[in-house]
């Protein structure tokens, strides 16, 4: 039986997913193509040619998935809304069948006693907007705000809090700088306008949500950055990397200005994309909460083999690694959270962990059960680190683990299993893993403690 941790009253437990990773049904009910449909169809883009065409078939099986969530006793469910279901061509009126799906999902969640926490953009841009240059085009930010209004008008009576963007850093770097995610552009530093336009989209959407009395959050991928040594060169490289990874998408929202990117040869206008009034707009709607997606720390050294960039990533040795080969460093979460508090002080809103989890090569045993002790150890270690940060005074309000189901893990296809629930992608059979029971028991133990 997991031991409850010392967490604040009302701490919220959840799981996270994203539309393209679980829904499937890419051609149904008027959904338009997304950049991930296009990218996954490109030979060699996704491992073994996997695509999200069927994924977990959640579009049809959501009642079963909500029942699994109910079995966990969750407070909240973080999912994303597929923009191309709502606006198949990126512009014009809403597609009624698209809205109706999320309407059904929200009602099913509420009936199960689970608060829906939707993310408006989790990387599946309508292809029509990519054809007009995607997030490199300032207009995309305005299309995002219009789409936000369509969805908020439909669901805002039942959905109190919203996440604008998921990991704009990862979307910019993988999608626009390196080309390993959709839309597959390899622009290196010329990708920076995709940072500014995503942030502008956040600001515009935040105003739309606030006008309707709804709470606003963003889910940023954050990492504690550790210099590889105490040498001045390694420390300068770590500072540069920290500005790009952690500050670029957080400082403008919380502080109203961009971090110093001069190490990249980039000025405060981010390659000419910033216009008068933009930064004011980006910071104008204060966040009700900051969503933090944490997986691992990053070790950074002075550049050697990355000409043009002021840093090089160095391996983290001597720690366990996930099936994805990501280092497992639970205390990095405490370090990250206390670091955020020290950096932003009173400007830091309450934090919710909106993603944290690990991939394990899980397969059912002969008796059909799935034992995943490595995942349980990962989650337990990170929750201890979270509780340690709370004990050090950081205001953390909730924890949403990634993920409910094994799903389409972007460029890795179905090879990385992050779920509390195993999915057989041939039969769509769902099998709760040992970690599912562990998480359920942990949530129960906390509830019992808090209700005493
Ligand atoms: C995050 C993504 C999420 C999932 C996890 C493993 O970067 O937001 O969709 O793929 O990684």
């Amino acid at each position: 039986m997991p031991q409850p941790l010392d967490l604040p009253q009302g701490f919220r437990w959840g799981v996270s997913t994203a539309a393209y990773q679980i829904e499937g049904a890419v051609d149904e009910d008027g959904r338009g193509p997304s950049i991930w449909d296009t990218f996954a169809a490109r030979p060699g883009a996704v491992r073994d040619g996997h695509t999200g065409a069927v994924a977990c078939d959640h579009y049809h099986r959501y009642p079963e998935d909500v029942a699994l969530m109910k079995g966990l006793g969750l407070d909240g469910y973080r999912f994303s809304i597929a923009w191309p279901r709502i606006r198949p061509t990126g512009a014009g009126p809403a597609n009624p069948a698209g809205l109706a799906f999320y309407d059904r999902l929200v009602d099913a969640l509420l009936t199960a006693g689970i608060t829906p926490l939707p993310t408006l953009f989790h990387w599946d841009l309508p292809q029509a907007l990519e054809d007009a240059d995607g997030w490199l085009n300032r207009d995309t930010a305005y299309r995002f705000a219009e789409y936000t209004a369509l969805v908020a008008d439909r669901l805002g009576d039942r959905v109190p809090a919203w996440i604008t963007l998921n990991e704009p850093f990862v979307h910019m770097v993988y999608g626009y700088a390196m080309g390993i995610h959709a839309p597959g552009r390899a622009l290196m530093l010329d990708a920076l306008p995709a940072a500014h336009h995503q942030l502008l989209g956040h600001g515009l959407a935040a105003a739309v949500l606030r006008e309707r009395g709804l709470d606003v959050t963003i889910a940023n991928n954050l990492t504690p950055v550790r210099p590889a040594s105490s040498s001045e060169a390694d420390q300068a490289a770590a500072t540069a990397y920290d500005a790009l990874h952690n500050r670029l998408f957080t400082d403008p929202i919380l502080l109203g200005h961009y971090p110093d990117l001069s190490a990249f040869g980039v000025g405060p206008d981010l390659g000419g994309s910033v216009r008068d009034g933009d930064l004011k707009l980006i910071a104008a709607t204060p966040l009700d909460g900051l969503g933090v997606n944490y997986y691992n720390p990053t070790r950074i050294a002075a550049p050697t083999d990355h000409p043009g960039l002021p840093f090089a990533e160095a391996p983290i040795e001597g720690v366990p690694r996930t099936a994805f080969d990501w280092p497992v460093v639970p205390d990095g979460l405490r370090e990250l959270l206390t670091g955020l508090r020290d950096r932003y002080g009173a400007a830091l809103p309450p934090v919710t962990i909106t993603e944290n989890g690990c991939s394990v090569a899980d397969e059912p045993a002969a008796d059909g059960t799935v034992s995943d002790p490595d995942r349980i150890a990962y989650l337990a270690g990170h929750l201890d680190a979270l509780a340690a940060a709370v004990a050090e005074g950081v205001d953390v309000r909730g924890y949403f683990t990634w993920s409910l189901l094994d799903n389409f893990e972007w460029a890795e296809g179905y090879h990385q299993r992050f779920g509390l629930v195993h999915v057989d992608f041939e039969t769509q059979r769902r099998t709760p893993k040992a970690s599912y029971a562990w998480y359920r028991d942990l949530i129960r133990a906390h509830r019992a403690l808090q209700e005493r």
Side-chain angles (χ1 to χ4, degrees), residues 387-408:
V390 168
E392 289 183 44
V394 187
D395 184 357
V396 189
R397 304 268 174 102
Y399 177 86
F400 287 63
T401 193
W402 184 272
S403 182
L404 175 68
L405 305 168
D406 293 340
N407 60 45
F408 176 79

Side-chain angles (χ1 to χ4, degrees), residues 21 122-123 166-167 295 355 402 409-410 418:
Q21 295 181 274
H122 200 127
W123 305 350
N166 177 68
E167 300 188 352
Y295 289 93
E355 284 184 30
W402 184 272
E409 177 47 39
W410 309 115
F418 277 89

Side-chain angles (χ1 to χ4, degrees), residues 70-84:
K70 190 176 177 192
L72 283 168
L74 301 181
D75 298 296
Y77 172 45
R78 175 179 175 232
F79 59 100
S80 82
I81 294 177
W83 186 348

Side-chain angles (χ1 to χ4, degrees), residues 136 138 192-197 200 258 269-276 278:
L136 298 172
R138 185 180 171 91
L192 280 169
H196 183 63
H197 297 145
L200 185 64
Y258 276 114
D269 68 345
L270 249 65
S273 47
V274 180
R275 296 195 191 162
D276 279 356
D278 283 1

Side-chain angles (χ1 to χ4, degrees), residues 243-329:
L244 190 73
H245 192 134
N246 294 315
R247 306 193 80 131
L248 177 57
F249 293 92
T250 314
D251 285 14
I253 297 175
L254 298 185
L255 307 177
H257 56 74
Y258 276 114
D260 177 6
L261 295 174
S262 54
F264 295 86
V266 172
D269 68 345
L270 249 65
S273 47
V274 180
R275 296 195 191 162
D276 279 356
D278 283 1
L279 280 157
K280 222 171 148 197
L281 198 156
I282 290 166
T285 307
L287 293 182
D288 298 286
L290 175 67
V292 170
N293 295 359
Y294 171 75
Y295 289 93
N296 51 255
T298 308
R299 196 158 159 256
I300 292 293
T304 47
D305 53 350
H306 284 73
L309 289 178
F311 65 84
E313 209 175 323
I316 295 179
E317 318 270 13
V319 299
R321 308 190 82 84
T322 72
F324 216 146
D325 204 29
W326 296 355
V328 179
V329 187

Side-chain angles (χ1 to χ4, degrees), residues 39-338:
F39 184 73
R42 197 192 278 181
V46 176
R47 213 171 137 190
D48 289 338
H50 291 171
T51 77
V54 178
C56 306
D57 194 31
H58 171 80
Y59 191 76
H60 301 112
R61 292 169 196 261
Y62 74 89
E64 183 182 352
D65 295 337
V66 172
L68 285 164
M69 291 182 234
K70 190 176 177 192
L72 283 168
L74 301 181
D75 298 296
Y77 172 45
R78 175 179 175 232
F79 59 100
S80 82
I81 294 177
W83 186 348
R85 284 198 197 283
I86 308 301
R87 268 189 144 185
T89 61
N95 166 30
L99 284 175
F101 169 67
Y102 296 105
D103 210 64
R104 294 195 295 278
L105 175 63
V106 161
D107 285 344
L109 289 166
L110 293 173
T111 304
I114 299 167
T115 304
L117 176 59
T119 302
L120 287 156
F121 180 64
H122 200 127
W123 305 350
D124 48 353
L125 193 77
Q127 180 60 40
L129 296 181
E130 170 60 18
D131 296 342
D133 234 4
W135 287 108
L136 298 172
N137 181 345
R138 185 180 171 91
D139 289 346
T140 298
Y142 295 90
R143 299 294 85 77
F144 180 60
E146 293 161 7
Y147 146 70
T148 298
L150 295 173
V151 184
D153 282 343
R154 179 64 174 262
L155 304 177
D157 58 336
R158 286 153 291 155
V159 175
W162 297 68
I163 294 172
T164 54
L165 306 175
N166 177 68
E167 300 188 352
F169 170 76
V170 175
H171 189 52
M172 175 192 77
V173 171
Y174 283 13
Y176 287 87
M178 296 168 67
I180 55 184
H181 277 185
R185 312 261 204 124
L187 300 171
M188 296 310 285
L189 287 172
D190 290 338
L192 280 169
H196 183 63
H197 297 145
Q198 285 187 88
L199 282 161
L200 185 64
H202 162 83
L204 293 164
V208 165
L209 294 166
R210 181 67 94 247
E211 274 162 23
R212 288 158 177 78
L214 304 171
D215 279 5
V216 180
T217 306
I218 187 167
N220 275 344
N221 179 294
L222 300 176
T223 181
V225 178
R226 299 170 169 180
S229 79
S230 57
S231 79
E232 235 171 75
D234 285 353
Q235 294 204 37
T239 301
Y241 186 79
D242 181 44
L244 190 73
H245 192 134
N246 294 315
R247 306 193 80 131
L248 177 57
F249 293 92
T250 314
D251 285 14
I253 297 175
L254 298 185
L255 307 177
H257 56 74
Y258 276 114
D260 177 6
L261 295 174
S262 54
F264 295 86
V266 172
D269 68 345
L270 249 65
S273 47
V274 180
R275 296 195 191 162
D276 279 356
D278 283 1
L279 280 157
K280 222 171 148 197
L281 198 156
I282 290 166
T285 307
L287 293 182
D288 298 286
L290 175 67
V292 170
N293 295 359
Y294 171 75
Y295 289 93
N296 51 255
T298 308
R299 196 158 159 256
I300 292 293
T304 47
D305 53 350
H306 284 73
L309 289 178
F311 65 84
E313 209 175 323
I316 295 179
E317 318 270 13
V319 299
R321 308 190 82 84
T322 72
F324 216 146
D325 204 29
W326 296 355
V328 179
V329 187
D331 192 57
L333 180 57
R334 187 198 55 78
E335 184 183 335
L336 174 67
L337 292 169
T338 54

